[in-house]
């Protein structure tokens, strides 16, 4: 298998990009779906922003370094990765805060309907933000298992909100079919692309999606806690009313008027002052991922996970795949169920193979296609086989839970 | 006057701190109330976070570098600057987003009352966030001029929300008296400390305040668009319900439960994932400002502005002071009204004296006490006198408005 791995690496058109990222020695990093690796250009870019733009330019950099334009500029660069127009995407706030804005806006666009439909086990923050609006008396949460979602679309549903690639299993929804079904029932559609953007192709405008959000710190490699992004289809820009009406979403923030008047374009989604340092790091990641291109990233992502499954089969490992076996039906990850997933994950980390554990029994391995090699797949599978066959995971230290896992 | 200025600088117990900041050559920076200067320790601290914690530690740094604890840790360091307990303050989101959370929470705590009372001309985002909740049908905005605020406190008022030091004039409210009056009327009290924190003493617990927010990028020198902070008095932690119920505010975020259960302490104010890079820069600024201490900062701030006024009087300048003449009644700034404030501000900037313009006719000069010298006051007043007496401001280039001012 190692020979095959090396052949695949030698033939990999994305092989050259690995050198554009910092990857620690002795580490096989299978958690880029949680926090993307550091682009090598990022430290220098950040030093320029900090020392020159902040330190020397000071307040003048809002104009001179175009800090005012960063949020929309970065949004415009994310747009082609998700099938959007550049003026339909903006980088701001967090995924959670952007979800709140867009659910609230959707509810205002569907008077008489209060239900926000999602699935149980969606990424928690998505569901919690519905709960927040429910507590305000504005929304009613409805969760339907994925095979019953179509049937749950009735005349009470204002918004269908789903995550494209499931954070735990990687299973993807048929976005186009669900968008069509929701529209047929009179509902709007909101996609969370946190586990897709930069790894899977998405065509928001091709399917007439209404809203979307996504994460800056996973496949986009924007750094820990990077600003998120939000998409609103241009046809909604005029009518949209989101409740987090901060001064950066105003048509003329520096008029300092007492009356809010929303900006006409996607800038209306902004709330407070742009997080310049976070945006600066995000832009480096977005530039690099956009340079590689989502089609090539997706192709390699599938090839990596398929080869990992071959390696697992080769070792005859007794782990249950909970991700779809069909590569076309899953995101850029493989999740395995094992009763001892937690200590196995810890034992792997001790060997330098960094995946993550998702409660209660999932070992989740992400295959960020921009910087991983086929040889990493071979080595990771070998370590996993050794950890299990040797019962190394039974060591006491691997059973102790970290304060936050 | 220059002799006096130099004597004052020589005797200044805070003089040594200037060297802890980067200040560009040839610049007198009177806009630290809008964006604080760069602490010299920040670039290296950020390189460590980026290269070591992100680049080498990767996902492990959430535990190993305590990224999870940053928001509360930095809040705890801000607490003594505002008279709060360390477990009552957290650094998260933006001022605007935190205002939304806390207005909404206050409204839930005063059922039957919907009015949020503020003043016209408060910083716009504060008013806009009330408008956002009004659009949701949850709040009713009432704006009363400051001399009529006491009279406007009736049984409909759920919350009194004011900014301690006015962004435009620097005028400060008597926080204790207004807090008492609001409580007497059954309302809760919410202070925006954006233009106070790090320059003026504030004693939130001494006056039994309920809620507060403040800005990380002004006197705290946390960098452009730094995360904000929020305060909730400990007595409210149990009952508080804020609607932005993201996963980072959950009692156990990594249980990935479908049901939101708020964290018991101040962490419940968090929403999305912590903005690690922005927090890392903020922490450097907060550490430095806290080291100097707010009492000394306030004393020097008053001395600087008083000396500047002496210099202005010495030059016989025809500018109208719109800030209170009594240093005890204003924040760390002086604002002057002049019909040509905009081109005067631009002409000053061309000379390296950076203040700012606030529409329609205010020249605003901020005196960040941590890094300014009395000699800067002398020189800034001299430049102002020359710009006005020579009519230099009439040059065509100073009349052209920047895209965003």
């Amino acid at each position: 298998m190692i020979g095959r791995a090396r052949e695949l690496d030698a033939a990999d058109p994305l092989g050259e990009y690995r050198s554009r990222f910092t990857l620690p020695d002795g580490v096989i990093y299978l958690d880029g779906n949680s926090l993307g690796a550091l682009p090598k250009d990022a430290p220098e870019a950040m030093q320029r922003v900090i020392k020159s733009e902040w330190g020397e330019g000071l307040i003048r950099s809002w104009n001179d370094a175009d800090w005012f334009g960063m949020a929309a500029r970065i949004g415009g660069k994310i747009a082609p990765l998700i099938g959007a127009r550049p003026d339909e995407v903006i980088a701001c706030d967090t995924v959670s805060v952007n979800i709140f804005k867009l659910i609230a806006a959707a509810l205002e666009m569907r008077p008489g309907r209060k239900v926000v439909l999602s699935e149980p086990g969606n990424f928690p923050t998505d569901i919690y933000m519905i709960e927040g609006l429910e507590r305000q008396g504005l929304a009613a949460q409805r969760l339907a298992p994925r095979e019953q979602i179509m049937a749950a679309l009735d005349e009470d549903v204002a918004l269908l909100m789903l995550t494209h690639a499931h954070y735990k299993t990687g299973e993807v929804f048929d976005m186009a079919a669900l968008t069509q079904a929701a529209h047929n029932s009179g509902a709007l559609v909101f996609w969370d692309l946190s586990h897709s953007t930069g790894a899977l192709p998405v065509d928001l405008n091709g399917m007439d999606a209404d809203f979307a959000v996504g994460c800056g710190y996973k496949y986009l490699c924007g750094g820990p806690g990077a600003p998120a992004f939000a998409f609103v289809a241009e046809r909604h820009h005029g009518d949209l009313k989101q409740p987090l009406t901060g001064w950066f979403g105003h048509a003329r923030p520096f008029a300092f008027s007492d009356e809010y008047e929303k900006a006409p374009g996607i800038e209306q989604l902004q709330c407070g002052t742009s997080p310049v340092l976070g945006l600066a790091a995000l832009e480096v990641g977005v530039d690099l991922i956009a340079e590689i291109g989502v089609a090539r990233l997706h192709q390699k992502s599938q090839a990596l996970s398929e080869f990992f499954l071959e390696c697992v089969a080769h070792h005859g490992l007794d782990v249950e795949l909970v991700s779809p076996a069909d590569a076309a039906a899953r995101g850029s990850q493989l999740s395995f169920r094992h009763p001892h997933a937690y200590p196995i994950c810890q034992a792997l980390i001790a060997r330098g193979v960094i995946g993550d554990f998702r409660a209660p029994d999932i070992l989740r391995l992400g295959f960020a296609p921009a910087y991983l090699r086929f040889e990493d797949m071979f080595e990771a599978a070998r370590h996993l086989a050794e950890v299990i066959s040797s019962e190394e995971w039974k060591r006491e230290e691997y059973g102790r839970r970290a304060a936050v896992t």
Side-chain angles (χ1 to χ4, degrees), chain A residues 35-252:
Chain A
L35 172 64
L38 170 67
K40 278 195 182 147
D41 286 345
E44 195 182 314
M46 290 300 285
Q47 287 299 88
R48 188 181 65 246
V49 171
I50 293 168
K51 288 187 172 176
S52 169
E53 295 181 11
W54 174 13
E56 299 289 322
L58 290 161
I59 194 71
R60 298 170 291 195
S61 290
W62 281 103
N63 282 306
D64 297 349
D66 197 23
W67 288 350
F68 280 116
M70 287 180 91
R73 181 176 74 231
I74 296 168
K77 292 174 175 184
I78 293 170
L81 302 174
I82 56 175
R85 287 172 26 180
D87 59 357
E88 293 176 318
V89 185
I90 193 154
C92 60
D93 290 311
T94 59
V95 168
S96 302
V97 168
N98 289 329
I99 287 173
F100 187 88
K101 295 173 191 166
L102 292 175
I103 297 177
L107 289 167
E108 278 215 24
M109 292 167 72
R110 288 293 179 272
R113 294 177 176 224
K114 282 182 77 171
V115 171
V116 181
L117 175 61
S118 191
E119 65 163 342
N122 192 354
F123 189 78
T125 218
D126 297 60
I127 296 177
Y128 300 160
M129 298 317 284
I130 306 174
E131 287 185 36
L133 280 146
E134 199 168 41
R135 180 170 314 113
Q136 290 189 299
L138 301 171
Q141 181 186 188
R142 181 185 295 172
L143 302 181
R146 50 180 62 197
E147 64 279 8
Q148 294 168 27
I149 286 173
M150 293 278 196
L153 282 165
D154 62 25
E155 68 282 359
D156 294 325
V157 178
L159 181 70
L160 173 63
M161 183 178 80
L162 294 169
T163 299
H164 177 209
H166 195 276
Y167 78 99
K168 201 184 279 191
T169 66
E171 190 176 354
V172 297
F173 279 110
D174 182 338
M175 290 178 70
L178 281 156
T179 299
Q180 184 66 55
H183 284 171
N184 288 347
S185 77
L188 294 159
V189 181
F190 183 175
W191 289 102
D192 182 342
L193 305 176
S194 291
H195 290 81
S196 324
T197 309
L200 300 184
V202 173
D203 187 10
L204 289 173
N205 282 335
M207 71 189 69
D208 271 335
D210 300 292
F211 311 114
V213 294
C215 182
Y217 56 78
K218 298 178 187 295
Y219 297 110
L220 293 181
C221 299
F229 68 85
F231 157 89
V232 175
E234 194 278 338
R235 65 183 177 280
H236 296 315
H237 287 189
D239 293 335
L240 196 84
K241 288 179 184 167
Q242 61 92 2
L244 294 177
T245 49
W247 76 311
F248 258 54
H250 196 280
R252 288 173 304 282

Side-chain angles (χ1 to χ4, degrees), chain A residues 26 346-353 382-384 386-387 390 392 398:
Chain A
Q346 296 305 110
L348 283 171
I349 290 172
R351 285 167 169 256
V353 180
R382 182 178 65 77
H383 283 291
L384 178 61
E386 288 177 12
V387 161
S390 71
E392 184 175 306
Y398 300 143

